[in-house]
Each structure stands twice: as structure tokens, then as C-alpha cells.
Amino acid sequence: MSHAMTQDAPPAAPLNSLLSHRRMPRWAPAGIAVAAIALGSGIGAVAGLASKLQWCLIALVLFVALTYLITARVEGRRQAKDRVATSLVWACFVVAVVPLYSLLQTTISKGVKVLDGNFLGHSMGGVITTQPGGGVYHAIIGTLEQVALASLIAVPVGLLTAIYLVEYGRGKLAKVVTFFVDVMTGVPSIVAGLFILAFWIIILGFGYSGFAGALALSILMMPVVVRSTEEMLKLVPNELREASLALGVPKWRTIVKVVLPTSIGGILTGVMLAVARIAGETAPVLLLVFGNQLINNDPFNGAQSSLPYYVYEQYTNGNDASFDRAWAAALVLIAFVMILNLVARGIARWKAPKTGR
Amino acid sequence: MAKRIDVSGLSAYYGNHRAIEDISMTVEPRSVTAFIGPSGCGKSTFLRTLNRMHEVTPGGRVEGKVMLDDENLYGAGVDPVAVRRTVGMVFQRPNPFPTMSIYDNVAAGLRLNGSARRKSEIDGIVEKSLKGANLWNEVKDRLNKPGAGLSGGQQQRLCIARAIAVEPQVLLMDEPCSALDPISTLAIEDLIGELKEQFTIVIVTHNMQQAARVSDRTAFFNLAGVGQPGKLIEIDETQRIFSNPSVQATEDYISGRFG
């Protein structure tokens, strides 16, 4: 009982107690937040500030300031600093989440207008751009094929590079490889696209194709895969490698059977994030896949479309029907990336080393 | 099953730093040899040279000879992988493979070595090894549960079971009890007493009572100062080392008058 008492209702502390002090009630932060929002709105309305964003910023500043002042009066300066740090974290969290929420909300509310089975199942073939109708089927096919091809190239290369860097790489070569991976991380997507354009299409003379786009996407994907895999492999404790080696297991089998299974969850998450990154790339598609209104199932031959390219294309059409299609395609793209992330998390949880009894 | 180890003129390096210098000793088969000495004197490094685990560390290299019966571990054309199959090792911290069940942990050595065996044969070896490590009764009903879910002492016995499952000639133990409570330590010490019937055992320990309890012979290592290489001071019957050592430094260390 005494335990419950100390938790729920702190008894009034003796005045000169060393160990306890006056506490604010549990609802105090919420109360201060409400007061700050009310005050902020009041000030905003009185001063005639048009932007609600300014109201919010005033409320945020007031929230942090009020927290400090009130806590300093009631609980003391150290507790006040503690509460200010907590409220700053909360404020930053809100600042970070609001744009995300706003983005999702806008995309969903504008995207669902034309998003239906018809939209998902049809291409833009025979659709006049100013008229409603048509769909993203050809773009979904394009995105799936290009991303799959890019992953097929980038994941093995990235994985093996990371394994080399962590398990074998010593000396000059490893340093050079690390340096170039770092450089590649910073390559803008349009540059990757131009490189493949020059190399694959102009010099080697191949035509526009989904595969050419996939080549550029794989350049963007590779460093991300290398980096994330490297970090995951470094997390595997050395003791596990030594335990395996000491059993007389050859190094390559140790890597395949012990190191990779231990880190597979993280590696897959990294790969999925890399996939999500390239699924939203427009520039290489613009240069190398060319864009297409029709369904082209063959990624090796002829122009294709892709979801980000489709959004761009519909937006540049500049009419209401196209805007609706652009939003709906954007929603499909976000859903695609989100599903990938969920799948990655699921796999990571499923594959994570088990500690239960 | 057990082999004699004959070390002569062995030095081990990390890069340019010489960690141990000119060590020569004999480890008798079917006995327990304990290594004692202050931290940093090279006991663990020396232990790791006995199954070529030292060279796994970047920059690690070795000079000298380690004869396992009549084969030099560091001879030309010797495969370190084969050496480690013959000379097993148990580490300071229990390190079961986290992705594997108890069963798979014990079978890991057999399976990962690529020696194709029938399921029934592996079953038999797993049971024999777990019994050998005095763990069978505690885990026989949950062989498919993760090995990481066991207690620290059980995990260490699991690691010992894993090490003896590949039927090595020699078993090296690097402070196998330092992370364990006294009851688990007792279990492991009893186990060491049983295992020496079959294996040649070398154990590194900081616990001198433990060395006195479990070992037949004891080697004392010391270093002249920080940054100096570690050296073997003396090796003798455990009883002699602890009652009447021939070197003053050994007596100082054992009686606690040193460091």
C-alpha cells in the first residue's frame, strides 16, 4: 500500500526535507501546453497574424518558456531545466511530425479522388490528357521492373562490397573502396542518369529502355546498400566470428552461416530503404526510360514509364484531370514505399536473433 | 584422442609489438594445464597461438614451433582451419550463436564444417556432447529453443558442448569461468575434471584457487614492465608451484605480494 501511496499522491513534503521537494501535478505539462496554445492563438488573433504557422510558433515558444518559469517557481531550477529539455524534445517531435502528417493528409485527400481499380488497372493509352480517366498501370509495371532490375544489380554488388570491407578489407584497397563509396553516396541522380545516357545510349548505341534506367538507379542504390550493410556487419560481435573459426569452420562459411544470418534483419531493412530511395527517383527515368503512355512489359526494349515520372508528366500537363491523376499516382508511390518498409520491418523482426526462453 | 603439445621458442606479435617472447613448454596429454599470471602478460595470446587463432587478429603473427605430437602447427602447408578442428577453444564470455537453437549450436561445428552426416548421427553427437558438458538434463526438453535464452553458466556449458562436439584432441579454455557465478563455476570445474579423461586441456585463469583445484600442471607468466613482452617464468606440477615454487617471482605472485 505504501508503495502505491508514494506513486499516486506524494504526501506534502516536510519543509526542510533533503530528499523530497514540491512536485507539480502530473497534468501540469498538458495544462501548460493548453495554456500556451490558448495564449498563442490569442496573441496571434489580437496581432492580426494571418498565418496559423506563426500562431503555432508563438505557442511553441510560450510552451517552453512557461514550462521553465512555472517549474522554476514550484520545483526549483534543476527540475525546470529538466522539464525544459523534455518539452523541447516534445516540441521538436511535433515540428517533425506536423509536415509528415500534412503531407500524408494532402496526398491522401487529393489522391483518393480518382484512385480506384480502374485507375490501378489501366494505362494512359487513348486517354486525352485534359479528360478524366486513364490510370497508372503502365507506370506501376515500369517502377516494379526498373526497381527490381536495379536491385538485382545493386544488392549483390553492394552486399559483397560490404562483406569485403568488413571481413577482408585491409590497407590501401579497402580505403580506396570506402572513399569511392562515399563519393558515390553524394552523386546526384541526374548525374548518374547522364553517365548512363552517355555510356549506354550514346556510346554503346542502345535505345531507351527500363533497363537503362535501372542501370542508373543501381548506381544510386549501391552506395546505400554498401553503407547500411557495412554498419550491420560491424554490429556482429567479433566473439561470434571467433567462436565459429575456433570450431574449425572456414572463414567464408563463418560469414555465410554465422555473420550474415545474425545481421540479416538489419541488412534487409537497409536494402528496403535503398529500394524506397530509388523508387522515387525521376531524373534517370526522364533521361533514360523516356516515358510512355502505353503499357510496355519489356524493360529491355523501348520506352517505359514509372510512378515518379508519371507524377511529373501529369503535373506538367497542367489541367485538373491531370492534377488528380498526379496526386493519385503520388499516393500509390507512397503506399508502395510504405508497404516495402513494413515488409522490411516484418522480415527484420522475424529474422532477428531470438533471446526468448 | 588426446595429444601432447610441445612448444619451442615461440614469440607472438601484434604488428611490431612483441606480446610474448621465446616460450618453450610441454603440455601433457590427458591432463589439465593452467596458465596464471598478471593481466597483459600474454597468457591469452599464448593460448591463442596454440590453435592459430592469434593470426585472426589483424597484424597478428607468430615465430617458433608448436608441435602437436609430431606435426608443427606452423609448418609449411598446414591449414589453420584443420588446426582449429583439432584444437578446440572455449572463450571468456559465453558466445552461443544467437540465430541458432540449442541443438543447432551444438551441431554447428559439424554442419558448418560441411561434413555431411545423417540426422540420426548428428542427434547422437549432440546428445553425447550435451551430456559431456553436463547440460543434457537441463535442456533436453527444449533443444529447439534459442541458445541465447539460457543462463550465463548454461551458455558457457553449451559452448563447451559445441567445442567438444567436433571431437578435438585438445581443448583450450580462456578464462571460462570469469563471467560466471560460483555455482556455475563449480559445474564447469567438475566438468573440466571429467573432460581431462579424454582431452588435453589448457586453461587460462585469474583465479589461483581455481588453478590449484583443477590443474595438474601450472605455468606462471609474467612481464618485466608495461610494453615489455610476456614471458614464461616457470611451469611445474601444480602442487609444487603452489607450495614450493623454484622462482621467487612466482611465490610473490601466488602469495599476493606482487601487483
Side-chain angles (χ1 to χ4, degrees):
Chain A
M1 280 313 283
S2 66
H3 173 74
M5 243 177 71
T6 49
Q7 277 217 332
D8 292 337
L15 261 178
N16 291 322
S17 167
L18 269 178
L19 301 177
S20 55
H21 54 80
R22 280 204 293 166
R23 298 285 308 266
M24 297 211 292
R26 288 184 63 124
W27 49 263
I32 295 173
V34 170
I37 290 168
L39 255 173
S41 314
I43 294 174
V46 170
L49 297 173
S51 165
K52 296 280 185 296
L53 214 59
Q54 289 168 320
W55 294 26
C56 290
L57 282 176
I58 294 172
L60 271 178
V61 173
L62 279 173
F63 174 56
V64 175
L66 280 177
T67 307
Y68 184 81
L69 291 173
I70 295 175
T71 321
R73 256 196 99 72
V74 178
E75 295 188 347
R77 290 174 59 100
R78 189 178 58 74
Q79 284 78 6
K81 284 175 195 158
D82 176 45
R83 294 230 186 214
V84 163
T86 313
S87 46
L88 271 178
V89 170
W90 275 100
C92 290
F93 168 70
V94 170
V95 167
V97 162
V98 164
L100 179 67
Y101 170 79
S102 154
L103 180 137
L104 275 178
Q105 202 240 337
T106 316
T107 315
I108 290 172
S109 69
K110 297 197 175 183
V112 290
K113 259 188 246 169
V114 293
L115 183 62
D116 52 21
N118 196 47
F119 184 73
L120 290 175
H122 287 80
S123 74
M124 291 297 289
V127 179
I128 302 161
T129 53
T130 51
Q131 299 293 313
V136 282
Y137 181 71
H138 61 304
I140 294 177
I141 291 292
T143 289
L144 285 179
E145 286 181 350
Q146 288 153 29
V147 167
L149 279 174
S151 308
L152 224 56
I153 302 167
V155 171
V157 175
L159 213 65
L160 292 175
T161 307
I163 289 174
Y164 167 75
L165 286 177
V166 176
E167 304 290 340
Y168 294 95
R170 306 263 175 270
K172 271 245 164 69
L173 183 58
K175 283 208 178 93
V176 170
V177 172
T178 308
F179 174 74
F180 277 109
V181 169
D182 281 345
V183 171
M184 273 176 83
T185 316
V187 169
S189 55
I190 189 82
V191 175
L194 283 172
F195 165 66
I196 298 295
L197 181 72
F199 176 71
W200 185 254
I201 295 185
I202 297 177
I203 295 180
L204 294 183
F206 292 97
Y208 297 110
S209 68
F211 182 67
L215 284 178
L217 292 178
S218 69
I219 292 179
L220 298 172
M221 191 176 177
M222 232 177 273
V224 184
V225 174
V226 173
R227 274 285 134 170
S228 59
T229 307
E230 224 186 320
E231 293 309 315
M232 288 305 134
L233 291 178
K234 279 184 192 159
L235 285 181
V236 176
N238 236 344
E239 284 108 58
L240 292 183
R241 296 187 179 91
E242 294 200 333
S244 179
L245 291 176
L247 286 175
V249 180
K251 186 159 183 173
W252 69 272
R253 278 191 93 96
T254 299
I255 294 168
V256 174
K257 298 284 184 173
V258 176
V259 177
L260 286 180
T262 309
S263 54
I264 192 71
I267 292 175
L268 280 175
T269 310
V271 167
M272 288 297 174
L273 288 176
V275 168
R277 181 195 182 307
I278 61 161
E281 283 296 346
T282 323
V285 183
L286 209 62
L287 290 174
L288 302 166
V289 194
F290 200 68
N292 195 341
Q293 306 290 323
L294 306 172
I295 298 168
N296 176 8
N297 283 326
D298 182 1
F300 297 100
N301 223 331
Q304 276 190 315
S305 189
S306 83
L307 282 168
Y309 175 80
Y310 180 91
V311 174
Y312 166 80
E313 173 195 72
Q314 293 303 318
Y315 183 76
T316 47
N317 283 341
N319 61 68
D320 286 343
S322 293
F323 286 160
D324 285 345
R325 281 192 290 265
W327 282 109
L331 183 55
V332 171
L333 181 56
I334 290 178
F336 173 68
V337 169
M338 210 176 229
I339 289 169
L340 271 184
N341 271 316
L342 288 177
V343 168
R345 275 167 186 273
I347 294 174
R349 184 169 298 179
W350 172 49
K351 285 286 185 183
K354 295 156 189 74
T355 48
R357 274 153 200 250
Chain B
M1 279 275 294
K3 293 202 177 191
R4 177 194 309 274
I5 305 174
D6 223 323
V7 183
S8 51
L10 186 111
S11 300
Y13 299 80
Y14 292 103
N16 289 324
H17 172 69
R18 177 149 56 171
I20 49 175
E21 187 178 26
D22 195 22
I23 289 179
S24 303
M25 70 160 68
T26 303
V27 174
E28 299 294 338
R30 289 197 176 77
S31 72
V32 179
T33 304
F35 292 174
I36 60 171
S39 294
C41 69
K43 310 179 292 290
S44 293
T45 304
F46 179 58
L47 192 75
R48 289 164 65 93
T49 62
L50 299 183
N51 71 341
R52 297 194 62 167
M53 283 298 285
H54 175 65
E55 66 205 54
V56 170
T57 320
R61 61 195 170 86
V62 172
E63 286 168 5
K65 274 206 304 193
V66 179
M67 302 297 291
L68 192 67
D69 281 358
D70 45 11
E71 264 191 292
N72 184 4
L73 297 189
Y74 290 93
V78 171
D79 180 6
V81 170
V83 170
R84 291 174 202 141
R85 279 179 203 176
T86 318
V87 185
M89 190 161 193
V90 176
F91 295 84
Q92 184 171 0
R93 290 219 333 248
N95 52 3
F97 298 126
T99 50
M100 297 185 193
S101 68
I102 294 170
Y103 180 97
D104 289 338
N105 259 290
V106 181
L110 304 171
R111 286 189 178 151
L112 301 187
N113 281 342
S115 38
R117 288 168 199 255
R118 273 170 297 126
K119 175 90 171 69
S120 58
E121 199 181 342
I122 294 182
D123 280 349
I125 294 174
V126 167
E127 181 174 345
K128 189 175 137 214
S129 308
L130 282 170
K131 278 181 175 159
N134 285 337
L135 192 60
W136 176 250
N137 285 329
E138 291 156 68
V139 300
K140 64 179 178 213
D141 301 321
R142 45 173 173 157
L143 288 175
N144 292 317
K145 294 279 163 58
L150 299 172
S151 76
Q154 288 172 327
Q155 284 187 22
Q156 192 62 301
R157 276 179 283 153
L158 179 63
C159 293
I160 293 175
R162 183 175 67 186
I164 60 181
V166 291
E167 302 188 329
Q169 310 282 330
V170 180
L171 200 54
L172 309 176
M173 297 180 155
D174 191 356
E175 297 183 44
C177 303
S178 66
L180 305 181
D181 69 287
I183 294 171
S184 307
T185 302
L186 186 67
I188 304 258
E189 285 181 7
D190 289 346
L191 178 57
I192 292 172
E194 290 166 28
L195 291 176
K196 78 170 180 183
E197 309 290 322
Q198 294 177 51
F199 303 97
T200 305
I201 294 180
V202 183
I203 177 172
V204 168
T205 179
H206 269 298
N207 182 331
M208 277 175 278
Q209 287 84 352
Q210 181 172 61
R213 280 194 300 265
V214 301
S215 71
D216 303 305
R217 284 158 63 83
T218 298
F220 173 62
F221 291 76
N222 205 349
L223 70 174
V226 178
Q228 304 281 336
K231 284 182 181 169
L232 174 67
I233 304 299
E234 64 173 316
I235 176 166
D236 211 331
E237 300 295 322
T238 298
Q239 198 149 22
R240 259 185 71 85
I241 289 273
F242 281 93
S243 59
N244 189 20
S246 47
V247 182
Q248 184 63 34
T250 313
E251 194 174 340
D252 287 351
Y253 182 75
I254 287 166
S255 56
R257 259 175 283 168
F258 168 93

